[in-house]
Amino acid sequence: MKKFAILTDSTCDLPEELAQQHHIDILCFKIALDGEGYTERVDFTPEQFCEMLKHAKGLPTTSQINQFEFFERFEAYNDQEVEEVLYISINRSGSGTHDAALRAADQFAQEHPESSMRIHVVDSHSYSIGEGSGVIEAAKHLENGDTMEEVIAYLEDRYARLEVILTAYSLKVIRKSGRINAASAIAGDLLGIHPIFALIDGVSYVLKKVRGEKAVLTQMALTLKKRMVEGSPYYLSVSDKKYIDDYVNICTEKIGYPPEMIFQLGCAVLSNTGPEAVGLAYVGQKRER
């Protein structure tokens, strides 16, 4: 079996124990908040970041992972005699990180013509559980002996079917992304109206609006059940772990079985959703790109 390395970025939101179990490397995003710079997964936990967001004077910003960081990692793999590198990236249309990896791969090829190491870059077209669930499945396939070509074909098919639905219980942060205008956000917060966003092929839009916190996850679960491939696994992601049991119970009741895996939303994702959010990812019908 060829020696391979799996690389992703911190918007995958993979639990650390799973990443370690499957030997998945994670490059982390930088986050700035109230004039201070931080590194996700290094300087704070998602719980700590949520508390920071709740009391912050300003809004967070994230910086893409740059070409130099990827190049350094590729050189380290080469020194370890890795033969195949698979990098699964954050949605390309939402970040320059994917293209930075491509430039680093080109730079590596130019500076190390003697190396036989192959670098593969796959766009997840997604974030968080959408991205991370594919990373885990890719790792399992490689561990089971599938070739890199087979795994890449699997990922391209999976990400052409993957859909994410998400809601934020406070709209202060998410409005800065332009996905919802300021007037609608303020009205939504005042009236208890929560938009359900869909993220499909890297494009997000408001799928529906629901009044009341208790009703919103029920509507998300019903939407998932209608759109998913019947009987296939789905994934739950939360910003606050204390609500996991409630969320799992609602999903299990409406869908008929519990989520395959539960993620905690990471800091880079929370920088765009705010500290009170929940998401569901699932496989739907294949789309033509």
Side-chain angles (χ1 to χ4, degrees), residues 217 236-238 240-250 259 262-264:
L217 195 74
L236 170 68
S237 193
V238 301
D240 195 329
K241 288 183 176 180
K242 69 183 180 183
Y243 297 118
I244 285 177
D245 288 344
D246 291 340
Y247 292 156
V248 169
N249 289 338
I250 291 172
I262 300 169
F263 289 55
Q264 185 170 22

Side-chain angles (χ1 to χ4, degrees), residues 5-245:
I6 303 173
L7 178 66
T8 188
D9 48 68
S10 57
T11 54
C12 69
D13 289 349
L14 285 176
E16 191 60 37
E17 60 273 18
L18 265 183
Q20 292 181 7
Q21 178 186 340
H22 294 284
H23 307 289
I24 295 164
D25 288 339
I26 300 174
L27 285 175
C28 296
F29 279 84
K30 303 295 191 296
I31 299 172
L33 182 63
D34 288 347
E36 297 291 332
Y38 306 94
T39 300
E40 181 175 17
R41 301 175 82 105
V42 174
D43 292 323
F44 37 53
T45 66
E47 291 95 341
Q48 291 169 331
F49 186 64
C50 281
E51 287 304 310
M52 292 169 64
L53 279 180
K54 290 175 184 177
H55 301 100
K57 296 178 181 177
L59 296 173
T61 58
T62 57
S63 300
Q64 69 183 48
I65 300 165
N66 62 46
Q67 179 177 336
F68 178 71
E69 293 174 272
F70 282 109
F71 182 75
E72 277 197 323
R73 190 60 58 97
F74 295 156
E75 285 201 314
Y77 290 145
N78 190 53
D79 291 342
Q80 297 161 18
E81 300 183 345
V82 169
E83 297 179 35
E84 304 244 36
V85 178
L86 172 63
Y87 168 55
I88 302 173
S89 82
I90 180 178
N91 171 33
R92 184 179 190 177
S93 64
S95 171
T97 298
H98 179 279
D99 290 341
L102 291 176
R103 291 193 299 271
D106 288 341
Q107 180 186 358
F108 179 85
Q110 292 171 16
E111 296 191 20
H112 296 277
E114 79 291 346
S115 176
S116 60
M117 185 177 78
R118 296 199 301 162
I119 301 170
H120 311 271
V121 180
V122 174
D123 181 6
S124 73
H125 302 278
S126 193
Y127 308 92
S128 191
I129 40 173
E131 178 184 354
S133 59
V135 175
I136 287 294
E137 292 305 314
K140 291 177 180 177
H141 280 260
L142 287 169
E143 290 162 1
N144 289 334
D146 289 3
T147 67
M148 188 63 73
E149 288 73 18
E150 289 171 334
V151 171
I152 291 171
Y154 164 80
L155 286 172
E156 289 176 346
D157 177 76
R158 178 186 179 88
Y159 287 134
R161 300 173 184 271
L162 188 83
E163 300 181 8
V164 174
I165 50 179
L166 172 82
T167 194
Y169 290 104
S170 172
L171 302 177
K172 172 186 174 182
V173 173
I174 206 167
R175 78 185 186 198
K176 79 178 177 71
S177 67
R179 293 177 177 87
I180 189 168
N181 65 44
S184 295
I186 293 169
D189 280 338
L190 290 173
L191 300 174
I193 296 172
H194 304 288
I196 297 174
F197 297 91
L199 175 64
I200 299 174
D201 286 337
V203 178
S204 64
Y205 60 92
V206 176
L207 195 61
K208 61 174 65 177
K209 297 180 181 180
V210 180
R211 185 187 294 273
E213 292 188 3
K214 292 183 178 180
V216 66
L217 195 74
T218 295
Q219 287 301 314
M220 288 175 66
L222 292 173
T223 300
L224 182 153
K225 185 175 182 179
K226 183 185 298 183
R227 297 175 66 98
M228 72 188 302
V229 173
E230 186 175 357
S232 62
Y234 66 96
Y235 306 83
L236 170 68
S237 193
V238 301
S239 58
D240 195 329
K241 288 183 176 180
K242 69 183 180 183
Y243 297 118
I244 285 177
D245 288 344

